[in-house]
C-alpha cells in the first residue's frame, strides 16, 4: 500500500497544485478570525516584496558626534557608504554586541522542544576563526541545549567561560535553540601555542559530554599560559559578544518629523546621550533595532549593527552621538477618501532602554482613474500572474453596488481597487483575470454551493498599470438566476487571484 | 574612524552614511519564496485538504520567515523551517474552519481541476482527523520517518505511530486498497 498511497498522494498533490505560483506575500492580521471577514486580513510585508515591490525599511544611518551644548544644524556626509551588518550566515563579527530582545530570531523558539542529547550533536573548535560551533548531526531534529552549555579541556589549557551580565535590555541570543543553522560560541585564544589541544569537550547539565574536534591554529599566540576565552552561545546568524552593563546608563531620544505622508520615506534622528559622570564605552559596537507601526497597527522593523568605524569608542560624560535614520511609512490602508492617524517609531540598542515617539501619518485621497467597462467571460480565464503587490493591511478591493437585487435580474456593481501610496504599480499587462464568487450568506444554509465565475479584465479599456495612490473601478454584471432563492447573499471579487475584495452583503428578493 | 578631538567643544561634527541594508536581504528571500512555494504547497494542500487553507497557512509561515529572513535564510533548510511552521499552523486554521463551516462552506474553486481519482483521494483525506492527515502526508508524501514527524509535530513517537496506522487504515478503507498497517 505504501508505494500505491505515495503515488496517489503525489498525483493528487500534482493536480491540486497545478500551475501554482507564489502569490504576493502578505502578512496575517491578529484579528483575521473575525466573523464576516475574509480569512486573512492582508498586512504589509515590506521585507518581501519581490525586489522592486515596495519601499522598504531603509536604515540609511548617519552618525554624528556632537557636544550637548552645540547641536548640529546640518548633516555632512563624508566618505563612502558603510554597510550596517547583521552578519550573514556563517559570518561572525567579534566586535558585535547583542541583539535587543525585540529582535529575537524567529520571534522566540517553538514550545516543547526536546532536550538535546549527545548522540545527536557534533561540534568543532576552529582556533583560527576563534569559533566553537555546535551542530545537529545529519538528519537530527531541533533541540534545546542546556543553559550551562560550555567547553572543557585538559590541562594545561585553561577554559574561561564568559557570561552575559544582567543588563537593562539583555541580548536574546537564544543560544539554547539548536536548529539547522547551528550554535556558535566565541572562543578567543590567548597565551602559548606550543601545545595546542587536539580535542575538547562540550558539556552541560543533563547533556553529558561529547568530544569536539579541534582544527586550525590561533591567529595570535602569546607567551603566557594557554587560555581559551569562551563567550555565551548564540545562533550563527546573529552577532555574539557581551553587552557591557554600563550601557544601561545611556539615554535615547527620538527626533521625528511632525507629519509624514503615508507610503513616503521620512528621516529621523536618534540621540544617544551619556548623562552619567563616567564615560561609557561603545565597544563592542551596539546592535540596534528600529521599528515602525502605522495607524493601521501594521508595521515592520529591522535590526543591524551600528558602523563601528564611524562610532566613537566611548561617550564621555554628557556627550552625545546622533544617528540619522530613514524610514518608510509604507503600511497605510488604501483609504477611499484619505485620512490620517498616528504611527509610532521605536528604536533601541542592546543594553539600553528603547525610545518610542509618535509620528502623524497623512493618507492622501487616491486619484480616481476612468472605470473599466464590463466584458463578459469568453474562453478560458488568463493564467494567474504574480503581482508584486502588498495589500497593506486592508482589503484593497471594495465592492460598490445595490444591496438588493431581484432574482432574474442583472446585478450591476463595481469592484473598486485602490493601490495604496507607498506600494508599487500594479501592471495590467499581461492582462489579469478575475474571479467572482456569489454565495449564500453565512447562517443562511449549512453548505451552500458557491456560484463562481472567472473572466479576464477588459484590458482593451483599461490602463497599462495602476500606480500607487490611484484607484480604478472594474464594472461588473452578474445575472441572478430566476430560480435563486430569496435571502441574504455575499459577493466576493478577486483580481488575478490574491487581490481580494471584502465581502459584499446583498439581499435577493423576488 | 571618525577623527576625534581632545577638545570636546571643538570636536568636529562628523557624519557617515550607511548604505541600505535591506535590498541585500530582499532578493534572496524573493528567490527562495518563488522556488519554495510550489514545493511546500503540495504537502500543505493535502494536509489541509483545501487549497485556499493551504495557501493561507503557507502565507503565514512565509511571512514569519520573511520577518527574520536574515536568520531563517541562513538555516541549512529554510524550507523545512517554513514547512514545520505551516504544518503546525494547520491546526489553528482547522479549528477556525470547524467554526466557520457551521456557517458556510468554503469556496473550493480549485477542486474543479481534480480528476475523479484525486477527488476521491481528497475526500478520503478529509475523512481523516487532522492529526492523522498530517502524519499520513508527511510520511507517505514526503517520506519522513516517524521520529522526524514526532519532532516536527512535537508529539510522542508512539502517538505518531498510532495515528499513522489509524490514518492509513481509514484511507485504505475509503480507497479500497490493500492494507499494511506497520509504520515504517
Amino acid at each position: 500500500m505504501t508505494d500505491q498511497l505515495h503515488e496517489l498522494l503525489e498525483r493528487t498533490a500534482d493536480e491540486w497544485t497545478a500551475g501554482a505560483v507564489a502569490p504576493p506575500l502578505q502578512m496575517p492580521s491578529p484579528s483575521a478570525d473575525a466573523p464576516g471577514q475574509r480569512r486573512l486580513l492582508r498586512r504589509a510585508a515590506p521585507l518581501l516584496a519581490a525586489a522592486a515591490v515596495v519601499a522598504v525599511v531603509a536604515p540609511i544611518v548617519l552618525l554624528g558626534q556632537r557636544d550637548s551644548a552645540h547641536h548640529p544644524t546640518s548633516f555632512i556626509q563624508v566618505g563612502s557608504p558603510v554597510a550596517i551588518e547583521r552578519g550573514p550566515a556563517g559570518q561572525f563579527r567579534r566586535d558585535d554586541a547583542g541583539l535587543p530582545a525585540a529582535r529575537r530570531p524567529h520571534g522566540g523558539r517553538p514550545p516543547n522542544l526536546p532536550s538535546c542529547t549527545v548522540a545527536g550533536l557534533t561540534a568543532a573548535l576552529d582556533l583560527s576563526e576563534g569559533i566553537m560551533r555546535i551542530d545537529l548531526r545529519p538528519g537530527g531534529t531541533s533541540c534545546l541545549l542546556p543553559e550551562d552549555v560550555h567547553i572543557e579541556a585538559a590541562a594545561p589549557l585553561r577554559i574561561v567561560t564568559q557570561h552575559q551580565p544582567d543588563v537593562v535590555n539583555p541580548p536574546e541570543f537564544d543560544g539554547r535553540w539548536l536548529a539547522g543553522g547551528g550554535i556558535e560560541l566565541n572562543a578567543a585564544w590567548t597565551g602559548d601555542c606550543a601545545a595546542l589541544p587536539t580535542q575538547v569537550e562540550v558539556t552541560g547539565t543533563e547533556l553529558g559530554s561529547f568530544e569536539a574536534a579541534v582544527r586550525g591554529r590561533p591567529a595570535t599566540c602569546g607567551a603566557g599560559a594557554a587560555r581559551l576565552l569562551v563567550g555565551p552561545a548564540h545562533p550563527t546568524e546573529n552577532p555574539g559578544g557581551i553587552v557591557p552593563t554600563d550601557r544601561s546608563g545611556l539615554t535615547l531620544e527620538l527626533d521625528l518629523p511632525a507629519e509624514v505622508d503615508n507610503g513616503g520615506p521620512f528621516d529621523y534622528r536618534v540621540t544617544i546621550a551619556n548623562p552619567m559622570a563616567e564615560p561609557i564605552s561603545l565597544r563592542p559596537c551596539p546592535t540596534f533595532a528600529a521599528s515602525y507601526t502605522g495607524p493601521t497597527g501594521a508595521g515592520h522593523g529591522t535590526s543591524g549593527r551600528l558602523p563601528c568605524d564611524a562610532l566613537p569608542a566611548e561617550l564621555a560624560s554628557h556627550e552625545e552621538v546622533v544617528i540619522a535614520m530613514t524610514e518608510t511609512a509604507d503600511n497605510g490602508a488604501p483609504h477611499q477618501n484619505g485620512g490620517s492617524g498616528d504611527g509610532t517609531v521605536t528604536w533601541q540598542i542592546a543594553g539600553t532602554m528603547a525610545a518610542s515617539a509618535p509620528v502623524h501619518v497623512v493618507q492622501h485621497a487616491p486619484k480616481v482613474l476612468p472605470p473599466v467597462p464590463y466584458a463578459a467571460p469568453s474562453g478560458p480565464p488568463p493564467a494567474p500572474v504574480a503581482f508584486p503587490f502588498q495589500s497593506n493591511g486592508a482589503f484593497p478591493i471594495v465592492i460598490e453596488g445595490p444591496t438588493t437585487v431581484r432574482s432574474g435580474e442583472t446585478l450591476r456593481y463595481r469592484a473598486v481597487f485602490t493601490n495604496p501610496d507607498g506600494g508599487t504599480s500594479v501592471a495590467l499587462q499581461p492582462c489579469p483575470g478575475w474571479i467572482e464568487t456569489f454565495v449564500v450568506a453565512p447562517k443562511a444554509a449549512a453548505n451552500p454551493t458557491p456560484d463562481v465565475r472567472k473572466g479576464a479584465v477588459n484590458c482593451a479599456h483599461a490602463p497599462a498599470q495602476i500606480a500607487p495612490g490611484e484607484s480604478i473601478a472594474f464594472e461588473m454584471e452578474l445575472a441572478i438566476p430566476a430560480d435563486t432563492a430569496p435571502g441574504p447573499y455575499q459577493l466576493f471579487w478577486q483580481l488575478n487571484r490574491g487581490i481580494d475584495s471584502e465581502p459584499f452583503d446583498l439581499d435577493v428578493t423576488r | 574612524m571618525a577623527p576625534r578631538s581632545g577638545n570636546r567643544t571643538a570636536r568636529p561634527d562628523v557624519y557617515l552614511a550607511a548604505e541600505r541594508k535591506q535590498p541585500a536581504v530582499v532578493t534572496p528571500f524573493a528567490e527562495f519564496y518563488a522556488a519554495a512555494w510550489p514545493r511546500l504547497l503540495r504537502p500543505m494542500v493535502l494536509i489541509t485538504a483545501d487549497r485556499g487553507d493551504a495557501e493561507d497557512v503557507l502565507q503565514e509561515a512565509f511571512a514569519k520567515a520573511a520577518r527574520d529572513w536574515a536568520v531563517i535564510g541562513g538555516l541549512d533548510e529554510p524550507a523545512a523551517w517554513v514547512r514545520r511552521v505551516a504544518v503546525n499552523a494547520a491546526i489553528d486554521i482547522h479549528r477556525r474552519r470547524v467554526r466557520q463551516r457551521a456557517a458556510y462552506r468554503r469556496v473550493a474553486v480549485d477542486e474543479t481541476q481534480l480528476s475523479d481519482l484525486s477527488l476521491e483521494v481528497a475526500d478520503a483525506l478529509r475523512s481523516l482527523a487532522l492529526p492523522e492527515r498530517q502524519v499520513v502526508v508527511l510520511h507517505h508524501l514526503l517520506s519522513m520517518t516517524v521520529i522526524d514527524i514526532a519532532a516536527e509535530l512535537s508529539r510522542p513517537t508512539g502517538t505518531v505511530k498510532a495515528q499513522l496506522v489509524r490514518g492509513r487504515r481509514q484511507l485504505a478503507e475509503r480507497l479500497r486498497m490493500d492494507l499494511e498497517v506497520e509504520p515504517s
Side-chain angles (χ1 to χ4, degrees):
Chain A
M1 172 185 171
T2 298
D3 290 344
Q4 197 181 353
L5 183 53
H6 176 78
E7 286 172 16
L8 278 177
L9 294 178
E10 284 272 7
R11 175 175 172 171
T12 305
D14 284 344
E15 292 180 9
W16 218 338
T17 62
V21 292
L25 190 59
Q26 295 150 340
M27 296 294 198
S29 159
S31 61
D33 203 16
Q37 294 188 359
R38 193 189 177 279
R39 55 186 182 269
L40 289 180
L41 286 178
R42 302 303 190 186
R43 293 282 185 182
L47 294 178
L48 313 184
V53 178
V54 293
V56 295
V57 178
I60 293 177
V61 176
L62 303 173
L63 285 176
Q65 285 178 251
R66 70 181 183 185
D67 184 277
S68 57
H70 295 81
H71 289 205
T73 54
S74 63
F75 284 80
I76 305 165
Q77 180 179 326
V78 298
S80 301
V82 173
I84 294 177
E85 295 185 31
R86 183 170 175 170
Q91 182 182 345
F92 180 82
R93 298 184 64 105
R94 262 148 298 200
D95 55 355
D96 281 333
L99 275 180
R103 306 306 305 162
R104 287 194 308 180
H106 316 306
R109 62 176 172 248
N112 306 322
L113 272 179
S115 297
C116 295
T117 59
V118 294
L121 303 180
T122 178
L125 171 62
D126 189 332
L127 291 173
S128 61
E129 294 292 325
I131 292 297
M132 176 78 200
R133 180 168 173 137
I134 304 173
D135 281 298
L136 293 168
R137 289 192 180 279
T141 54
S142 293
C143 59
L144 205 59
L145 289 167
E147 284 185 29
D148 62 343
V149 63
H150 61 282
I151 302 173
E152 292 181 352
L157 175 61
R158 184 179 170 220
I159 304 287
V160 178
T161 302
Q162 289 183 306
H163 297 283
Q164 169 61 53
D166 185 16
V167 296
V168 172
N169 176 27
E172 290 284 346
F173 296 140
D174 205 0
R176 296 185 62 196
W177 178 14
L178 179 59
I183 289 292
E184 287 183 348
L185 296 86
N186 190 7
W189 180 276
T190 60
D192 186 8
C193 295
L196 296 176
T198 55
Q199 67 179 48
V200 295
E201 284 195 339
V202 177
T203 185
T205 304
E206 296 182 357
L207 173 69
S209 300
F210 67 101
E211 293 178 358
V214 179
R215 57 173 175 256
R217 185 177 176 80
T220 58
C221 298
R227 200 175 69 140
L228 196 62
L229 185 65
V230 181
H234 61 91
T236 55
E237 301 85 1
N238 288 338
I242 297 291
V243 181
T245 52
D246 65 352
R247 208 165 277 173
S248 62
L250 298 174
T251 62
L252 304 179
E253 184 181 330
L254 299 184
D255 181 12
L256 294 168
E259 185 176 290
V260 300
D261 288 341
N262 184 42
F266 64 93
D267 297 329
Y268 68 97
R269 295 175 184 175
V270 184
T271 300
I272 306 175
N274 176 12
M276 312 300 284
E278 300 297 323
I280 295 178
S281 172
L282 294 179
R283 294 292 182 277
C285 292
T287 44
F288 76 93
S291 64
Y292 165 80
T293 304
T296 63
H300 52 253
T302 189
S303 61
R305 168 184 169 275
L306 299 181
C308 213
D309 292 344
L311 201 67
E314 67 175 27
L315 280 184
S317 175
H318 300 293
E319 276 191 332
E320 299 173 344
V321 62
V322 178
I323 298 176
M325 302 283 296
T326 293
E327 183 59 273
T328 305
D330 61 356
N331 64 338
H335 301 293
Q336 294 297 302
N337 302 309
S340 62
D342 284 335
T344 303
V345 173
T346 301
W347 200 93
Q348 63 183 148
I349 56 174
T352 304
M353 292 292 285
S356 292
V359 59
H360 192 63
V361 183
V362 178
Q363 168 74 54
H364 300 284
K367 174 188 173 185
V368 179
L369 302 176
V372 179
Y374 174 68
S378 63
V385 179
F387 267 12
F389 175 77
Q390 304 298 317
S391 57
N392 291 347
F395 296 108
I397 295 175
V398 175
I399 293 176
E400 297 175 350
T403 55
T404 302
V405 63
R406 289 177 186 274
S407 53
E409 290 186 345
T410 296
L411 172 69
R412 291 180 173 79
Y413 69 94
R414 293 151 50 98
V416 182
F417 167 63
T418 303
N419 189 358
D421 286 344
T424 187
S425 291
V426 172
L428 297 183
Q429 293 174 344
C431 193
W434 50 260
I435 301 175
E436 175 196 72
T437 303
F438 180 64
V439 64
V440 173
K443 299 181 182 175
N447 289 298
T449 301
D451 185 3
V452 178
R453 290 196 306 161
K454 297 181 180 181
V457 167
N458 187 359
C459 287
H461 299 278
Q465 66 176 26
I466 306 158
E470 291 182 342
S471 177
I472 191 167
F474 298 94
E475 296 179 336
M476 292 294 297
E477 295 180 9
L478 171 62
I480 307 296
D483 59 353
T484 302
Y489 286 77
Q490 283 193 315
L491 187 63
F492 302 82
W493 200 83
Q494 195 178 65
L495 179 63
N496 190 48
R497 182 173 183 81
I499 303 180
D500 302 299
S501 76
E502 61 184 357
F504 180 72
D505 296 319
L506 77 163
D507 289 317
V508 173
T509 61
R510 292 208 184 276
Chain B
M1 176 69 189
R4 298 191 63 194
S5 164
N7 181 343
R8 285 179 206 156
T9 57
R11 175 184 294 176
D13 293 329
V14 179
Y15 310 97
L16 193 62
E19 71 181 4
R20 290 176 180 229
K21 128 183 177 324
Q22 210 63 57
V25 176
V26 169
T27 303
F29 178 80
E31 290 173 5
F32 164 74
Y33 177 57
W37 173 273
R39 188 156 42 93
L40 292 177
L41 184 60
R42 291 164 51 78
M44 292 316 302
V45 81
L46 297 184
I47 286 173
T48 59
D50 183 305
R51 178 152 165 184
D53 284 353
E55 294 189 350
D56 280 353
V57 292
L58 267 186
Q59 284 265 349
E60 290 180 82
F62 272 108
K64 286 176 181 170
R67 287 195 196 101
D68 284 306
W69 182 240
V71 174
I72 307 295
L75 301 179
D76 287 346
E77 291 186 57
W81 188 93
V82 174
R83 186 195 64 223
R84 189 180 67 237
V85 172
V87 168
N88 284 284
I91 292 281
D92 298 330
I93 205 161
H94 175 71
R95 290 176 182 144
R96 243 182 271 166
R97 294 292 164 260
V98 168
R99 292 198 300 270
Q100 290 180 352
R101 279 184 184 122
Y104 65 98
R105 185 171 179 270
R106 282 285 308 276
V107 178
V109 293
D110 297 292
E111 290 175 37
T112 55
Q113 64 199 35
L114 296 185
S115 64
D116 289 346
L117 181 57
S118 292
L119 274 175
E120 200 175 343
V121 173
D123 285 341
L125 284 169
R126 281 198 194 93
S127 73
L128 302 184
L130 179 65
E132 284 145 16
R133 220 184 301 151
Q134 288 173 312
V135 169
V136 166
V137 172
L138 292 177
H139 184 73
H140 286 289
L141 182 72
L142 300 185
S143 304
M144 289 175 64
T145 66
V146 168
I147 292 173
D148 287 344
I149 295 170
E152 180 134 335
L153 299 173
S154 299
R155 289 177 203 161
T157 52
T159 303
V160 171
K161 279 184 185 175
Q163 289 169 337
L164 187 55
V165 169
R166 203 161 46 234
R168 205 155 55 180
R169 179 182 293 131
Q170 198 170 334
L171 273 186
E173 289 169 2
R174 295 275 306 210
L175 298 172
R176 299 171 296 281
M177 296 166 63
D178 291 336
L179 190 62
E180 298 169 14
V181 294
E182 284 302 313
S184 53

